[in-house]
Amino acid sequence: MKVLLLTILLCFCYGLTQAQNQGISFRNTSWETVLAQAQHERKPIFVYAYSPECHFCQEMAATTFRESSATAYYNATFVSYQVDITADTAFAKCHDIVSFPTYLYFDATGKPLHRSLGAKPAAEFIADGQAAFHPKQAFYTLQRRYNAGNRSVRTLYAYSTALTSSSQKQNLQAQVIDEYLATQSAKQLRSERNLRYIYTHASPRTDLFLIQHQDLFQPWYKSLEIQKKAERTLTNMAFTAGRANDTATLRRVRQLVLASFPDTVRANSLATINFLEGQRNWVSYARATLRFAQSPHADLYTLRKTATYVKYFGKEQGPAREQESLQLVAELLPLLLQRQKDYQNTLLYAQVLHLLHQETQALSVVQEALRLAQAEQEPAEEASTLLVEIQAAQK
């Protein structure tokens, strides 16, 4: 009898595990039906807003949504509903969804409680679900307090943090961050809590503070990590200035470089390149990156990004300017390949040569890309298609 009971118990546990491994039980029905089910079951609602083409959505569906702890928590706690936002654009507009994956949490009546986004491990995903019921963390609870005029230090701190993961068109994060920082004294700003806050929150004020006080962050972050963060912040400032064609801000960025960056040549080059990218001035952008590529300060990311952007967007300025910008990129890419010769970079060079109608050289380069793809065990459909196009152009 004991053996029989043990066998039944093991079978039950195995069946439960198998059910959990199937993932979160999303209801394949309408939003109206989900609301009715939630009220009937007296459960809150979890909504997963996704796009079939979204890489991070696919990642979540294949991993976190099938992890046993996440499955157990969400299936026990929520009525879950998934919605393809590319198909149901009305739902996206209604709930101000602008990126994927977005997670929305409602009570059983459909009142919004919380929202979050992005690929994340099971523990963080479960914490999102738990935050929906926590007044100090739930996004919409904090939003209602803020909109009602609550500007307490606690509300500003919590709401600005929640806005980091809200992903909305009308995002007040920078405003709320600066309102919070305005409540802190110069001494308080240098506390560990606030330095970590400044490091992880983006606004004009945090950006400026980070660049000007990089040394203050060293007890909690690695020097190289701080340097890269400061560089990214600087280039974002330059890009935003370029998008607004704001040369006055670019001059202020250059002053920051002189005052706050040891490698002023590299920082100035990156500021210029990103300003021109913001302007979408593809010829000047390519020329500035080509100069940068010839220096010891150049990084592979900037070189590859410039080549890719000019390939896709160079046509915006007309055929003559496109050819001029592509020719500059054709001079840039061999410098990139000297430092990182792989399938993707070689394919990019072949594509640019093809756009320049330099078919003989493009043929040689795409054949090299195919050899590299085989050596690197990379799928080579793009190179194979390009090879056919080049051969057709030569006839």
Side-chain angles (χ1 to χ4, degrees), residues 181 185-199 205-223 225-227 229-230 260:
L181 293 176
S185 67
K187 182 179 179 180
Q188 288 173 323
L189 286 175
R190 286 159 170 76
S191 68
E192 179 183 352
R193 180 175 187 257
N194 277 332
L195 287 172
R196 290 186 179 277
Y197 175 92
I198 290 167
Y199 196 85
R205 187 165 176 173
T206 59
D207 290 349
L208 187 61
F209 189 97
L210 173 74
I211 288 174
Q212 292 178 324
H213 301 93
Q214 295 175 46
D215 57 313
L216 293 179
F217 297 88
Q218 289 184 0
W220 300 286
Y221 302 95
K222 296 177 181 178
S223 295
E225 187 180 347
I226 297 167
Q227 176 191 328
K229 175 82 171 178
S260 306

Side-chain angles (χ1 to χ4, degrees), residues 174-292:
Q175 173 184 316
V176 181
I177 289 170
D178 288 349
E179 285 181 298
Y180 166 72
L181 293 176
T183 69
Q184 303 296 291
S185 67
K187 182 179 179 180
Q188 288 173 323
L189 286 175
R190 286 159 170 76
S191 68
E192 179 183 352
R193 180 175 187 257
N194 277 332
L195 287 172
R196 290 186 179 277
Y197 175 92
I198 290 167
Y199 196 85
T200 55
H201 290 66
S203 79
R205 187 165 176 173
T206 59
D207 290 349
L208 187 61
F209 189 97
L210 173 74
I211 288 174
Q212 292 178 324
H213 301 93
Q214 295 175 46
D215 57 313
L216 293 179
F217 297 88
Q218 289 184 0
W220 300 286
Y221 302 95
K222 296 177 181 178
S223 295
L224 183 59
E225 187 180 347
I226 297 167
Q227 176 191 328
K228 289 182 177 179
K229 175 82 171 178
E231 260 188 14
R232 286 195 302 272
T233 303
L234 181 83
T235 55
N236 286 339
M237 291 170 67
F239 174 83
T240 302
R243 193 165 55 183
N245 200 27
D246 183 354
T247 55
T249 295
L250 180 63
R251 286 194 293 272
R252 289 193 291 272
V253 167
R254 295 199 189 286
Q255 291 169 357
L256 278 175
V257 167
L258 292 174
S260 306
F261 287 85
D263 191 343
T264 56
V265 174
R266 172 179 164 80
N268 261 319
S269 295
L270 290 171
T272 299
I273 290 166
N274 282 271
F275 180 82
L276 293 167
E277 181 191 325
Q279 285 188 316
R280 303 183 83 82
N281 185 341
W282 303 120
V283 173
S284 297
Y285 173 62
R287 186 175 291 115
T289 306
L290 178 58
R291 286 196 299 269
F292 181 56

Side-chain angles (χ1 to χ4, degrees), residues 55-57 59-60 63-64 100-101 103 117-121 124:
H55 168 76
F56 294 111
C57 300
E59 181 181 319
M60 286 295 288
T63 57
T64 301
F100 311 113
Y103 315 117
L117 79 160
K120 56 190 69 183
E124 291 181 26

Side-chain angles (χ1 to χ4, degrees), residues 129 136 151 177 189 192 205 213 238 282-283 291 305 323 343 365 376 386-387:
K136 294 180 181 179
R151 297 297 188 273
I177 289 170
L189 286 175
E192 179 183 352
R205 187 165 176 173
H213 301 93
W282 303 120
V283 173
R291 286 196 299 269
K305 182 176 77 165
Q323 290 293 298
Y343 166 66
V365 175
E376 297 167 16
L386 181 61
L387 176 62

